[in-house]
């Protein structure tokens, strides 16, 4: 299966989009790594929950926390309000824990990590050797100061393989590690904040995740600290029939700043795989967090077979005054996406932003959007959502903007644009707006358009083929969101936009 | 260069024949004009030549330097050297003019098996071209044709033509909606591009563009056919007497 073309850091921007389309077979991350794995028995019950807790060498309080979530989950029902057509998922026919055998004794450093695992990330273009960490882009006029560093926490199936730049981050007081390590090493922080933004019983999938999450990333930025580099987590699902349940907890203490990136891929498989993550972000007074995702799970094949079922709960709590959060997401993968990165604007003058591109092609389905819950005074939020549907895909924007009675003088602006390619796909917009005070203002603008025949002809008359033309037009449509991404991601995202729309025309 | 022989075409979803046997030949180095009243099939000719969807060729042949043009996709025709300056250039929101130009230039180079231009080389080249055409560099940074004035749009077409260096240039009523100054700029651009290995087909309604772009040959089109071919004096005749006499004579 190892047929991936060589990956290299590329130069320039726009040309790549086009080259990628021309050169790539569809999903380029679809290969798998042959590695000896250790699985927990299939299915889920209290013993499995205990086993996961034990594998992670967790303290008793954590085991109890999980069991509480599991009992809660058993009483809950699947959410059915989304505009998604999902076949029945047999929750007892999944593995809830899978780790490479070589990870049985936790490696102390990357030198002790199985070279096969390191090679996997290298092949994905995620260098784990620190000296190779993404350099600035050569030649680009708009390139930032050279040598921007990105620290990576790499999660392979159920475990974190390693985290880079830990020492350098520690000097700044920043804690960046796997969540399993945080539970062992920083229990006071985990106890205080875990489940405080997304309660265990928030929804069916958050309860499931709380019970069986196996790893994920933990970030703590101390007061007044601007994180000296971008932080990122890279999730790779490799094992078959295995769900990935990761947990991310980010705490930005007073006056701090961090930009966090998340990427993800999975091999091509005939059967669908479950992914249910929870991301919690706590932002205290005057702190700011930027969270960017480029989601590139395997979307299933052209007939709609296989792919990742992605049920994710992501939420940021602007807990104190003037806290600020910005979500940026590019969704191109997943057979099914159910995901609403949201903001609780609790502190006065706090701000939430959500920029999203969701692309669905072939038989993909996405029901995604955000919630902006304005609780504090003078809170502000902005939503820019770009949905692109091609093939027979369905794409729904679902948003909730709520102005609570005490959230006086607050504002929201929502812009929601849909682009259709072809005549068999669908775009839907479902905004819920609740305003309970008279001094706040909410604006919602929505448009739906088709890739225009005249635009296509204009591009083709100038020499571009159909896919180049679509990639160009769609990148233009999505530009506002692409620009919100950190530069390293913006380029990847731009090519992804092109790849995921392959075969959508003609 | 371009040979059109007995070209018949109709709209795909209508039965009405629009082109009813167009024949003409434009040799390299020459500028030909097609004039004719509204509805005579001038724009349809440009669309059929450039391969726009929605038209069906029912009869006839077209070759460009000996290659069968009608068999090619629009992008292949472009790579073969055919360029259409649009009557109404299309707006593409969010796509920078520079990005568009670079994507187009490299797509054509790739199709011809030539090496693509690096970002730096492209930048140098396009700045040069813009300068010779008196085009403000600011226009390169804006989204393709969005918010451009009529004159800017047409100049942008000429800039694309200068960059892509096509062999066969078709200008579809490039003079429509232009004031005298803008028309002058467009005509200067075209004149600068005239060369022994390049040909032009200028589709126009009026004589005034031809005051600035001196044609070698003028064709009069009516009801889907070329009804008369002559020298530049034919255009002057149209200006003085209108089409009525010519059409009466032809029928």
């Amino acid at each position: 299966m190892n047929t991936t073309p060589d990956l290299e850091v590329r130069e320039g921007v726009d040309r790549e989009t086009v080259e990628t389309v021309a050169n790539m077979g569809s999903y380029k991350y679809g290969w798998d790594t042959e590695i000896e794995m250790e699985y927990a028995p299939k299915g889920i019950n209290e013993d499995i929950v205990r086993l996961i807790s034990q594998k992670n060498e967790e303290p008793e309080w954590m085991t109890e926390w999980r069991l509480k979530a599991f009992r809660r989950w058993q009483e809950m029902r699947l959410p059915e309000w989304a505009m998604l057509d999902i076949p029945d998922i047999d929750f007892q026919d999944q593995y809830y824990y899978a780790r490479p055998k070589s990870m049985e004794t936790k490696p102390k450093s990357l030198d002790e990590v199985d070279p096969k695992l390191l090679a996997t990330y290298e092949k994905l273009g995620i260098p784990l050797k620190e000296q190779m960490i993404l350099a600035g882009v050569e030649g680009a006029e708009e390139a930032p100061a050279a040598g921007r560093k990105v620290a990576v926490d790499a999660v392979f199936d159920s475990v974190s393989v390693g985290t880079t730049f830990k020492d350098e981050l520690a000097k700044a007081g920043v804690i960046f590690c796997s969540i399993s390590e945080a539970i062992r090493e920083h229990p006071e922080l985990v106890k205080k904040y875990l489940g405080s933004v997304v309660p265990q019983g928030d929804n069916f999938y958050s309860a499931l995740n709380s019970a069986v999450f196996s790893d994920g990333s933990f970030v703590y930025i101390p007061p007044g600290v601007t994180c000296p580099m971008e932080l990122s987590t890279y999730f790779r699902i490799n094992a078959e029939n295995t769900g990935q349940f990761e947990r991310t907890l980010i705490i930005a203490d007073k006056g701090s700043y961090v930009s966090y990136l998340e990427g993800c891929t999975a091999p091509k498989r005939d059967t669908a795989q479950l992914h249910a993550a929870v991301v919690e972000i706590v932002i205290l007074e005057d702190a700011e967090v930027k969270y960017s995702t480029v989601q590139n799970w395997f979307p299933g094949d052209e007939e709609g077979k296989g792919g990742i079922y992605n049920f994710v709960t992501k939420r940021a709590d602007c807990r104190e005054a003037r806290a600020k959060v910005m979500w940026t997401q590019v969704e191109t993968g997943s057979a099914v996406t159910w995901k609403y990165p949201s903001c609780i604007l609790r502190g006065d003058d706090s701000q939430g932003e959500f920029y999203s591109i969701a692309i669905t092609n072939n038989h993909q389905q996405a029901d995604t959007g955000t919630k902006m819950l304005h609780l504090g005074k003078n809170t502000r939020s902005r939503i820019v959502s770009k949905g692109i549907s091609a093939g027979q895909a369905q794409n729904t924007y679902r948003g909730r903007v709520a102005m609570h009675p005490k959230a006086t003088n607050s504002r929201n602006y929502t812009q929601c644009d849909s682009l259709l390619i072809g005549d068999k796909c669908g775009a839907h917009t479902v905004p819920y707006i609740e305003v309970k005070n008279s001094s706040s203002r909410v604006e919602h603008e929505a448009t739906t358009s088709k890739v225009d025949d005249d635009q296509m002809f204009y591009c083709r008359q100038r020499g571009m083929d159909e896919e180049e033309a679509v990639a160009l037009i769609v990148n233009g449509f999505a530009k506002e969101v692409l620009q919100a991404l950190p530069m390293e991601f913006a380029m990847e995202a731009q090519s992804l936009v092109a790849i995921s729309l392959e075969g959508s025309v003609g | 260069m371009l040979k059109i022989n007995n070209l018949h075409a109709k709209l795909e979803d209508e039965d009405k024949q629009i082109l009813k046997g167009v024949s003409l030949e434009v040799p390299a180095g020459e500028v030909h004009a097609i004039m004719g009243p509204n509805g005579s099939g001038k724009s349809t000719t440009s669309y059929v030549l450039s391969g726009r969807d929605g038209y069906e060729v029912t009869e006839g042949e077209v070759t460009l330097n000996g290659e069968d043009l009608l068999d090619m996709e629009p992008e292949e025709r472009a790579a073969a050297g055919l360029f259409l300056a649009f009557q109404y250039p299309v707006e593409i929101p969010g796509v920078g003019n520079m990005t568009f130009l670079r994507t187009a230039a490299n797509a054509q180079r790739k199709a011809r098996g030539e090496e693509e231009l690096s970002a730096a080389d492209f930048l140098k080249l396009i700045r040069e071209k813009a300068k010779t055409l008196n085009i403000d560099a600011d226009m390169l940074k804006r989204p393709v044709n969005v918010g451009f004035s009529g004159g800017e749009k047409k100049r942008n077409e000429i800039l694309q033509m200068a960059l892509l260096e096509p062999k066969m240039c078709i200008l579809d009523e490039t003079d429509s909606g232009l004031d005298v100054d803008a028309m002058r700029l467009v005509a200067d651009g075209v004149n600068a591009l005239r060369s022994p290995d390049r040909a032009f087909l200028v589709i126009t309604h009026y004589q005034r563009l031809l005051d600035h772009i001196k044609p070698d040959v003028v064709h009069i089109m009516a009801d889907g056919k070329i009804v008369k071919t002559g020298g530049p004096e034919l255009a002057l005749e149209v200006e003085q007497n209108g089409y009525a006499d010519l059409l009466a004579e032809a029928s």
Side-chain angles (χ1 to χ4, degrees):
Chain A
M1 287 274 294
N2 293 346
T3 54
T4 310
D6 291 333
L7 299 174
E8 46 190 69
V9 178
R10 311 176 195 103
E11 170 235 354
V13 183
D14 305 299
R15 193 57 211 157
E16 281 64 45
T17 310
V18 155
E19 265 171 14
T20 320
V21 178
N23 301 338
M24 293 289 177
S26 47
Y27 185 70
K28 74 170 176 177
Y29 304 108
W31 41 271
D32 60 2
T33 307
E34 272 181 46
I35 197 160
E36 249 192 290
M37 297 295 290
E38 170 197 351
Y39 293 91
K42 251 189 190 175
I44 179 170
N45 52 48
E46 291 204 4
D47 289 342
I48 294 287
V49 175
R50 283 198 183 90
L51 180 73
I52 293 169
S53 190
Q54 182 207 326
K55 292 273 181 200
N56 283 352
E57 298 163 27
E58 287 171 357
E60 183 63 26
W61 61 266
M62 193 62 223
T63 316
E64 285 308 317
W65 194 85
R66 288 174 178 279
L67 286 168
K68 201 175 132 204
F70 176 68
R71 288 166 197 146
R72 190 73 208 272
W73 177 71
Q74 282 181 303
E75 292 160 10
M76 295 176 85
R77 297 179 57 184
L78 277 161
E80 282 170 353
W81 39 262
M83 199 175 230
L84 299 169
D85 183 13
I86 310 162
D88 284 340
I89 299 168
D90 183 354
F91 288 93
Q92 297 302 343
D93 191 34
Q94 303 267 336
Y95 292 108
Y96 286 84
Y97 188 84
R99 80 172 168 196
K101 276 210 168 132
S102 59
M103 296 292 291
E104 203 170 331
T105 46
K106 295 208 180 301
K108 298 267 178 316
S109 73
L110 281 174
D111 298 338
E112 294 175 20
V113 171
D114 184 344
K116 260 190 189 167
L117 283 174
L118 295 180
T120 302
Y121 287 93
E122 215 161 288
K123 205 165 147 189
L124 290 166
I126 312 297
L128 293 184
K129 287 188 188 139
E130 303 195 351
Q131 67 271 25
M132 284 171 55
I133 294 297
L134 302 168
V137 179
E138 273 176 339
E141 282 178 318
E142 52 274 277
R148 268 174 84 183
K149 286 186 249 175
V150 180
V152 183
D153 180 30
V155 178
F156 189 88
D157 289 328
S158 306
V159 290
S160 168
V161 170
T163 308
T164 60
F165 288 109
K166 277 173 90 162
D167 296 345
E168 201 171 329
L169 289 167
K171 276 183 210 146
V174 172
I175 304 172
F176 180 42
C177 61
S178 68
I179 191 127
S180 55
E181 186 179 330
I183 290 167
R184 294 189 301 270
E185 308 290 328
H186 308 282
E188 68 299 338
L189 286 170
V190 176
K191 263 188 187 169
K192 185 170 175 188
Y193 292 108
L194 189 75
S196 73
V197 185
V198 178
Q200 293 182 335
D202 184 81
N203 65 71
F204 182 86
Y205 294 104
S206 70
L208 178 64
N209 176 285
S210 300
V212 298
F213 77 83
S214 44
D215 222 327
S217 305
F218 176 84
V219 176
Y220 174 77
I221 317 287
V225 170
T226 295
C227 188
M229 63 185 84
E230 306 254 355
L231 302 184
S232 80
T233 305
Y234 196 89
F235 297 103
R236 175 74 175 170
I237 299 183
N238 190 63
E240 222 164 337
N241 285 325
T242 301
Q244 193 176 54
F245 304 91
E246 85 266 0
R247 188 97 191 179
T248 301
L249 178 59
I250 299 172
I251 303 143
D253 214 324
K254 291 180 198 298
S256 68
Y257 170 83
V258 65
S259 167
Y260 183 93
L261 323 172
E262 175 198 70
C264 36
T265 58
K268 277 185 183 176
R269 306 228 186 258
D270 290 345
T271 49
Q273 274 178 289
L274 187 59
H275 174 253
V278 171
V279 175
E280 296 183 274
I281 306 178
V282 180
I283 308 162
L284 303 181
E285 201 173 72
D286 292 309
E288 181 178 349
V289 174
K290 281 188 182 161
Y291 189 107
S292 318
T293 309
V294 173
Q295 182 189 281
N296 188 17
W297 296 121
F298 177 51
D301 67 13
E302 280 164 32
E303 273 81 53
K305 267 175 83 180
I308 301 292
Y309 288 179
N310 194 31
F311 301 97
V312 174
T313 308
K314 293 183 169 183
R315 199 172 299 156
D317 186 356
C318 292
R319 205 159 274 186
E320 296 177 351
R322 296 171 302 281
K324 198 174 163 190
V325 63
M326 178 171 149
W327 295 103
T328 306
Q329 61 166 9
V330 177
E331 305 279 343
T332 65
S334 295
V336 170
T337 301
W338 180 96
K339 177 177 164 186
Y340 315 89
S342 300
C343 306
I344 302 171
L345 303 171
R346 197 185 303 275
D348 290 348
D349 301 292
S350 59
Q351 280 182 50
E353 291 175 43
F354 174 78
Y355 296 90
S356 168
I357 302 170
I359 300 178
T360 52
N361 194 1
N362 297 318
H363 292 268
Q364 283 177 272
Q365 306 174 64
D367 192 301
T368 180
T370 185
K371 282 190 274 190
M372 293 289 171
L373 306 180
H374 292 251
L375 306 179
K377 292 185 190 62
N378 308 317
T379 48
R380 271 175 289 162
S381 67
R382 181 174 154 88
I383 298 169
V384 179
S385 161
K386 306 272 182 178
I388 298 147
S389 321
Q392 286 133 71
Q394 296 295 327
N395 205 330
T396 303
Y397 167 82
R398 190 180 300 277
R400 180 167 169 228
V401 176
M403 299 285 180
H404 283 243
K406 286 180 182 164
T408 49
N409 293 312
S410 295
R411 295 187 57 176
N412 160 266
Y413 173 71
T414 300
Q415 186 194 328
C416 182
D417 300 322
S418 304
L419 187 69
L420 301 171
I421 302 174
D423 53 10
K424 293 188 183 68
C425 52
H428 318 273
T429 303
V430 190
Y432 299 86
I433 297 170
E434 294 163 26
V435 182
K436 293 184 175 152
N437 71 67
S438 54
S439 59
S440 292
R441 212 163 94 197
V442 176
E443 288 171 78
H444 180 101
E445 280 183 30
T447 64
T448 302
S449 52
K450 272 193 79 170
V451 167
D452 191 276
D453 289 345
D454 288 342
Q455 288 175 339
M456 285 295 289
F457 176 62
Y458 193 59
C459 293
R460 292 181 73 193
Q461 209 299 310
R462 297 300 183 252
M464 299 170 216
D465 66 30
E466 286 187 307
E467 287 185 343
E468 285 173 326
V470 166
L472 191 81
I473 295 166
V474 169
N475 267 311
F477 171 80
K479 194 171 188 181
E480 212 177 336
V481 176
L482 289 171
Q483 278 173 337
L485 286 169
M487 200 193 64
E488 290 84 351
F489 259 27
M491 281 186 288
E492 188 191 333
Q494 204 167 30
S495 5
L496 259 185
V497 166
I499 297 169
S500 54
L501 286 170
E502 253 185 35
S504 61
V505 286
Chain B
M1 179 72 66
L2 181 71
K3 286 185 187 166
I4 306 175
N5 182 29
N6 194 31
L7 185 64
H8 287 67
K10 66 180 198 65
L11 279 175
E12 240 164 35
D13 36 15
E14 280 176 47
D15 265 344
K16 200 178 150 223
Q17 206 71 26
I18 303 176
L19 302 186
K20 302 174 181 171
V22 178
S23 296
L24 63 86
E25 227 173 278
V26 190
E30 291 192 4
V31 175
H32 287 212
I34 298 184
M35 300 181 76
N38 279 334
S40 55
K42 301 189 300 296
S43 285
T44 300
T45 305
S46 71
Y47 290 148
V48 170
L49 292 178
S50 54
R52 190 185 182 118
D53 281 346
Y55 297 91
E56 190 187 326
V57 174
T58 50
E59 211 183 320
E61 302 90 43
V62 181
T63 57
L64 181 64
N65 289 325
E67 284 184 86
D68 180 1
L69 204 61
L70 300 179
D71 209 28
M72 299 183 207
E73 295 293 331
E75 59 271 27
E76 294 168 338
R77 299 181 197 204
L82 183 91
F83 182 94
L84 172 66
F86 282 61
Q87 184 178 6
Y88 304 108
V90 180
E91 299 184 359
I92 310 179
V95 177
N97 211 9
M98 190 90 91
T99 306
F100 179 81
L101 293 169
R102 187 171 166 220
T103 309
N106 279 334
Q108 291 202 15
R109 294 177 84 98
K110 203 168 63 181
R112 296 189 202 115
E114 296 164 11
E115 203 170 314
E116 293 174 40
L117 291 167
S118 72
D121 287 345
F122 174 79
L123 204 61
K124 207 172 141 222
L125 180 67
I126 192 69
R127 282 189 179 147
E128 245 167 53
K129 300 278 182 193
K131 208 173 158 195
T132 43
L133 293 170
N134 256 324
I135 286 173
D136 191 357
D138 184 52
M139 207 162 101
L140 298 172
K141 293 180 191 154
R142 289 154 62 188
V144 181
N145 293 324
V146 177
F148 284 27
S149 70
E152 283 177 322
K153 283 184 181 173
K154 299 296 165 71
R155 272 154 69 194
N156 199 26
E157 295 293 290
I158 303 302
L159 175 64
Q160 294 180 23
M161 194 191 288
L163 173 76
L164 298 172
E165 300 187 330
K167 295 287 171 226
M168 180 70 228
C169 308
I170 304 170
L171 279 70
D172 183 13
E173 303 206 19
T174 292
D175 49 346
S176 66
L178 290 194
D179 60 29
V180 179
D181 291 340
M183 191 144 60
R184 180 92 225 180
L185 275 166
V186 167
D188 287 349
V190 171
N191 288 329
L193 288 168
R194 288 177 85 147
S195 88
D197 61 351
R198 183 172 291 139
F200 289 84
L201 191 58
V202 181
I203 296 173
T204 183
H205 227 43
Y206 307 106
Q207 159 67 26
R208 46 180 199 165
L209 182 64
L210 303 179
D211 288 340
H212 303 296
I213 307 174
K214 297 259 181 303
D216 299 297
V217 177
V218 175
H219 307 275
I220 306 295
M221 191 165 187
D223 193 26
K225 270 187 230 169
I226 303 293
V227 294
K228 186 158 185 175
T229 295
E233 72 285 351
L234 199 52
L236 294 168
E237 203 184 316
V238 169
E239 174 154 86
Q240 277 173 12
N241 308 327
Y243 292 109
D245 292 352
L246 282 168
L247 298 186
E249 192 184 311
S251 62

